[in-house]
Amino acid sequence: MVEMANPPRSAIDQRQSGERYYDEAEADRGMTFADLYQRFVWIAGAAYRSRWVVLSILVAALVLGAVGTLLMTPLYTASATVQIDQQTERVLGTEDQDAGAAYQDADRFLETNIQVLKSRATAVRVAQSLNLFVGTDFIEMMGAKLRVPAGVNPEQLRRETVLDLLDKNLGVDLPRDSRVASITFRSPDPALSSRIANAFAENFITGNLQRKFNSTSYARSFLQKQLVPARERLEASERQLVVYARQAGLIDTQQGSDEKGEGQPNSVTVSSLVALNSAYAGATANRIAAEQRWRVAQKTPVGALPESYSNKAIQDLYQAKAERTAVLQDELKRHKADYPTVIQAKAVIAELDRQLNAMNGAIRRSIVDQYDTARQQEEALADAVEDMKKATLEEQSQSIQYNILRRDVDSNRSMYEALLQRFKEVSAASGIAANNISIIDRADPPLKPTSPRLGSNLAIALLLGLIAAVAAIIIRELFDDRVQTGPDAERKFGLPTLGVIPQFKNGGAIDLELESPRSATSEAYHSAAIAVLLSSARKVPHVIMLTSAQSGEGKSSSTIGLANALARLNKRTLLVECDLRRPSLRKRLAEIQARAPVPGLTEYLTQQIEQPPITTHSTLRFDYMLAGSIPPNPTDLLGSGAFAAMLHDLTSRYDHIVLDGPPILGLADAPLLASRSDVVLFVVEANRSHRGRAKAALSRIRRFETPVSGTILTKVDISNRMGMGYDLEYYSY
């Protein structure tokens, strides 16, 4: 027999007894693909274990979805579309643009209009336009019932019910980057759906126009209120101006005239002064011109004046004189000076000279007269201007207050005219029906119902069923303490799984299954034996006790399998049946099932026999000791010194002693045996509900110093690999 010297230190000895086993190196390297696969396998296994529950929930959900769909009232959805522009065209050119419609604020503007469309005020206008508040026809058509509690106004309740139905069945959608909003309404009647959808679109436009009209109406009312005091102030200031002008004797020459040029006179006195001054300047110019002509005439001979040359009569006389002079010269050539014709010619020439002198003298006198007249006019106008200047200076002192009153009149007139002009513009703009909202498509009665949809409802029912199934799986896994796999046992009990034993069918006799060293059961127990031997770094365990939470979990079969596996490792192995209350080893060994009962541990401890009744298995390599007859006091026997002495004596003869202990709960036998053992193995039956007994049993056994090395999972169905992971893949090979 070769002892295992210095076995490797395991993770179990590195941690306190009862803590969950794990490899620190594996934990440090993080999550691996194998870990993910294990978790996926565990989830798949949980789903497979609850497959009938999941299938039942899904079928029930689909049936409920189909029945609910058939029982639902068909609903028809009608749709109308409206276009919402940010600005309208300006017809008059004086309409105000909406400040909220700026392009940089387009999203907020559109969202505001959508909220207005879904507002209570719009719903009220729709209900009023379609007479939905009258009677209960609309409420009944929508499938609702009106129940009036005591003390509630029926009219108000009916009104609120109608508005609530409109709000719940109305749909408004505005796609992103679009100005066309879709208005939908759903009801059991297709005609009603189209009517209400169109009514929402129309009343949305009407409400928009009404809000604009209300805003201009407020402006008109405000301007009209401001016009009255403005007109009264203007009239009062004009009356004050007239009264003062009458009292001061001032006459405004510009009153009533639209021309108001700067520098123009605004009174009779000033106008007269200006006119006289202008006339005086003209008279002075005329006098200077006349005086200049007189001075020139004084220095110029009589016949050389410009006026003489321009006078036709004088020129005719000069021509006649020239002709007569020529005649005279001709007569003197033929006659003497005293000749009658000569005398007559001289007389004619003398008469012509007289006439010329008279006419030139008259011209000279007219120049003098013009000069005198101009001088006299200048002097008269100079006196008049001086008098008018005095009158103007006196009037200027009185016109200061007049100008103050005049400016007040002008200011009041400007204010009144501005208010009046604005009032006219607002009044003209209020009558224009320009709108930034227009209907694109009107709603037509739909031909097919939009709900219920069997496919959608079944999909929703299936989704809800899947959610319920997942919840059922989670709840079942949380409250189900059944162990399915080795990792499952580690997770629930906090102990490493030292072996996973498949379920075998051989009439309950495990030794027949263990006769084949290549069977799945033999390989599983062989692996478990190796794990038990390596589970302690202090020393190789000699006394190994197997126990369970309750009976029937495969504890006795596991003691046989573990003893056989240790024997196959060339270890001297003894199996002792210590369950003195309900021994079952005889049922598990085929070679003694037909034999008569023989003395066992009870007979040896009660000193009925002298030597321990040890028997060697005929086909397997280990020795065993049966329990024998059932004593009245098993606890006293197991706690006696004889049992301790027997174990001490057998330890020197065998490498390993495997104790088939009783279940832990409710008995004191198992704790006594655990205190006399090197290691304790906890046997758990797979797929069996323990209802918390396993954890309670572990909590009880951990109170003793003997460590619980791990668990052995028994009766695992290897035909169902779902959720088993790598535990049994090799056995199936």
Side-chain angles (χ1 to χ4, degrees):
M1 303 296 176
V2 180
E3 294 285 344
M4 297 184 63
N6 298 325
R9 180 176 174 84
S10 66
I12 297 176
D13 295 318
Q14 297 176 18
R15 301 212 169 261
Q16 296 178 356
S17 176
E19 291 185 358
R20 181 170 178 172
Y21 167 80
Y22 72 96
D23 190 346
E24 292 183 353
E26 292 293 327
D28 292 339
R29 64 185 175 88
M31 185 70 66
T32 63
F33 178 78
D35 298 331
L36 294 176
Y37 176 75
Q38 285 289 349
R39 293 191 178 187
F40 172 76
V41 169
W42 180 85
I43 295 173
Y48 182 80
R49 290 190 294 272
S50 303
R51 59 189 179 278
W52 297 113
V53 176
V54 173
L55 183 61
S56 301
I57 293 176
L58 294 180
V59 171
L62 291 176
V63 171
L64 291 176
V67 173
T69 301
L70 296 176
L71 295 178
M72 292 175 64
T73 303
L75 298 177
Y76 297 84
T77 302
S79 176
T81 57
V82 295
Q83 179 178 347
I84 305 174
D85 295 322
Q86 287 183 261
Q87 292 182 349
T88 58
E89 294 184 359
R90 304 178 69 178
V91 179
L92 297 178
T94 59
E95 300 94 333
D96 291 334
Q97 294 289 355
D98 187 3
Y103 286 101
Q104 61 270 21
D105 203 17
D107 293 339
R108 185 179 299 177
F109 170 76
L110 294 175
E111 183 63 26
T112 300
N113 279 272
I114 295 301
Q115 295 299 325
V116 171
L117 178 56
K118 296 189 293 186
S119 65
R120 178 184 175 90
T122 305
V124 170
R125 284 194 295 269
V126 170
Q128 291 175 347
S129 63
L130 298 179
N131 294 325
L132 301 182
F133 291 143
V134 180
T136 59
D137 296 339
F138 173 71
I139 299 175
E140 295 174 354
M141 190 176 297
M142 295 297 294
K145 294 182 180 180
L146 185 64
R147 297 179 180 178
V148 183
V152 178
N153 187 358
E155 185 69 23
Q156 183 66 23
L157 181 61
R158 182 169 62 250
R159 182 184 180 91
E160 294 299 327
T161 303
V162 169
L163 294 177
D164 185 62
L165 291 173
L166 290 176
D167 180 67
K168 288 182 178 179
N169 294 277
L170 174 67
V172 180
D173 180 41
L174 179 64
R176 187 175 181 85
D177 299 330
S178 175
R179 301 183 188 278
V180 178
S182 175
I183 304 173
T184 60
F185 190 81
R186 181 181 58 186
S187 74
D189 186 5
L192 178 64
S193 298
S194 63
R195 249 191 349 263
I196 294 181
N198 289 327
F200 266 99
E202 293 168 357
N203 283 275
F204 179 43
I205 296 175
T206 303
N208 186 48
L209 292 174
Q210 185 63 40
R211 287 192 302 274
K212 291 184 177 180
F213 179 79
N214 290 339
S215 63
T216 57
S217 176
Y218 173 79
R220 290 198 313 274
S221 177
F222 175 78
L223 291 174
Q224 191 171 11
K225 292 179 180 178
Q226 296 297 320
L227 280 173
V228 174
R231 185 175 62 250
E232 293 176 352
R233 287 194 299 269
L234 176 59
E235 293 174 354
S237 62
E238 287 179 342
R239 280 194 293 269
Q240 291 178 1
L241 180 63
V242 171
V243 170
Y244 180 79
R246 184 181 295 114
Q247 292 176 353
L250 300 176
I251 299 176
D252 190 354
T253 58
Q254 291 184 351
Q255 188 172 4
S257 175
D258 294 334
E259 298 181 358
K260 299 196 182 286
E262 290 187 5
Q264 296 183 5
N266 58 353
S267 68
V268 174
T269 304
V270 175
S271 299
S272 300
L273 177 61
V274 172
L276 289 174
N277 191 49
S278 177
Y280 173 71
T284 302
N286 292 335
R287 191 265 306 168
I288 293 173
E291 184 179 2
Q292 185 65 26
R293 287 196 301 271
W294 166 243
R295 295 185 183 277
V296 172
Q298 286 180 340
K299 298 177 180 179
T300 304
V302 176
L305 292 175
E307 288 79 359
S308 298
Y309 290 111
S310 62
N311 193 322
K312 187 176 183 303
I314 294 175
Q315 295 301 323
D316 291 341
L317 290 175
Y318 276 117
Q319 184 176 0
K321 180 181 177 179
E323 291 175 357
R324 292 300 178 182
T325 301
V327 172
L328 177 63
Q329 293 297 330
D330 184 58
E331 288 293 332
L332 287 176
K333 289 180 180 179
R334 290 181 299 175
H335 305 284
K336 293 183 177 182
D338 57 352
Y339 191 78
T341 56
V342 174
I343 296 172
Q344 183 180 0
K346 290 181 178 180
V348 172
I349 291 173
E351 181 60 24
L352 289 174
D353 289 333
R354 185 187 65 78
Q355 290 179 2
L356 285 173
N357 292 329
M359 293 184 68
N360 286 324
I363 289 174
R364 187 181 293 274
R365 286 193 299 271
S366 65
I367 292 175
V368 174
D369 292 340
Q370 290 176 0
Y371 168 70
D372 292 336
T373 301
R375 181 173 55 77
Q376 292 174 1
Q377 289 179 351
E378 180 185 12
E379 293 176 355
L381 288 174
D383 295 337
V385 167
E386 290 297 328
D387 295 338
M388 194 58 64
K389 284 182 179 180
K390 296 178 181 180
T392 302
L393 293 176
E394 293 178 358
E395 187 182 71
Q396 284 181 352
S397 61
Q398 298 176 348
S399 63
I400 295 176
Q401 182 64 29
Y402 179 85
N403 291 332
I404 294 174
L405 296 176
R406 177 64 182 270
R407 285 193 296 270
D408 192 18
V409 170
D410 293 340
S411 176
N412 291 333
R413 180 178 291 107
S414 299
M415 179 65 70
Y416 177 74
E417 290 176 352
L419 290 174
L420 184 61
Q421 179 65 23
R422 185 58 179 165
F423 178 76
K424 292 178 180 179
E425 292 175 356
V426 172
S427 299
S430 63
I432 299 175
N435 191 22
N436 64 321
I437 302 172
S438 58
I439 297 178
I440 303 300
D441 294 322
R442 298 186 64 84
D444 295 327
L447 301 178
K448 296 181 180 180
T450 54
S451 65
R453 296 181 179 179
L454 181 60
S456 300
N457 290 348
L458 290 181
I460 295 174
L462 182 61
L463 178 61
L464 295 177
L466 287 174
I467 295 174
V470 171
I473 292 173
I474 294 174
I475 293 174
R476 185 177 182 185
E477 291 296 322
L478 289 176
F479 292 96
D480 185 13
D481 61 352
R482 292 183 298 177
V483 178
Q484 305 291 334
T485 63
D488 195 15
E490 293 181 4
R491 179 176 59 84
K492 291 183 177 180
F493 300 135
L495 294 173
T497 301
L498 302 179
V500 179
I501 312 303
Q503 186 177 9
F504 61 90
K505 298 179 181 180
N506 204 349
I510 188 175
D511 53 347
L512 299 178
E513 185 75 19
L514 296 176
E515 289 179 358
S516 174
R518 293 184 177 274
S519 66
T521 305
S522 297
E523 293 291 347
Y525 279 118
H526 183 74
S527 176
I530 297 298
V532 171
L533 294 178
L534 297 177
S535 63
S536 177
R538 293 186 296 271
K539 64 179 180 177
V540 177
H542 292 287
V543 181
I544 304 172
M545 173 190 171
L546 276 73
T547 184
S548 62
Q550 52 191 341
S551 62
E553 297 197 48
K555 169 178 57 62
S556 298
S557 299
S558 295
T559 56
I560 297 173
L562 185 61
N564 177 66
L566 292 173
R568 285 176 56 191
L569 294 175
N570 296 325
K571 303 291 185 180
R572 295 172 298 174
T573 306
L574 173 65
L575 189 156
V576 180
E577 185 179 19
C578 297
D579 189 356
L580 303 182
R581 299 178 185 272
R582 296 180 62 181
S584 60
L585 199 60
R586 176 179 291 274
K587 299 178 182 179
R588 301 291 180 262
L589 295 175
E591 68 171 10
I592 61 174
Q593 287 180 356
R595 297 180 185 178
V598 296
L601 179 62
T602 301
E603 284 74 16
Y604 176 75
L605 295 178
T606 56
Q607 299 181 359
Q608 297 180 22
I609 56 177
E610 296 181 357
Q611 295 295 329
I614 298 175
T615 306
T616 302
H617 198 279
S618 60
T619 58
L620 304 181
R621 299 181 182 181
F622 64 88
D623 298 339
Y624 61 90
M625 181 190 303
L626 299 179
S629 59
I630 299 176
N633 54 348
T635 304
D636 295 339
L637 294 179
L638 295 176
S640 63
F643 181 73
M646 183 194 72
L647 284 180
H648 184 270
D649 180 60
L650 293 176
T651 301
S652 61
R653 295 166 51 187
Y654 290 94
D655 295 322
H656 302 288
I657 300 176
V658 181
L659 303 181
D660 180 13
I664 299 176
L665 294 179
L667 302 174
D669 303 353
L672 289 175
L673 293 173
S675 64
R676 301 182 186 279
S677 304
D678 294 329
V679 294
V680 176
L681 302 181
F682 191 67
V683 179
V684 180
E685 180 182 354
N687 201 25
R688 179 177 181 179
S689 178
H690 297 82
R691 302 182 185 277
R693 295 188 182 96
K695 292 184 179 181
L698 286 174
S699 177
R700 184 179 183 189
I701 201 68
R702 282 169 177 167
R703 299 174 185 173
F704 299 91
E705 295 182 356
T706 302
V708 180
S709 298
T711 61
I712 295 178
L713 187 62
T714 62
K715 300 182 182 181
V716 178
D717 186 7
I718 62 174
S719 62
N720 176 20
R721 302 180 191 175
M722 183 65 68
M724 298 302 174
Y726 301 113
D727 294 340
L728 299 177
E729 287 186 359
Y730 180 75
Y731 301 146
S732 64
Y733 170 75

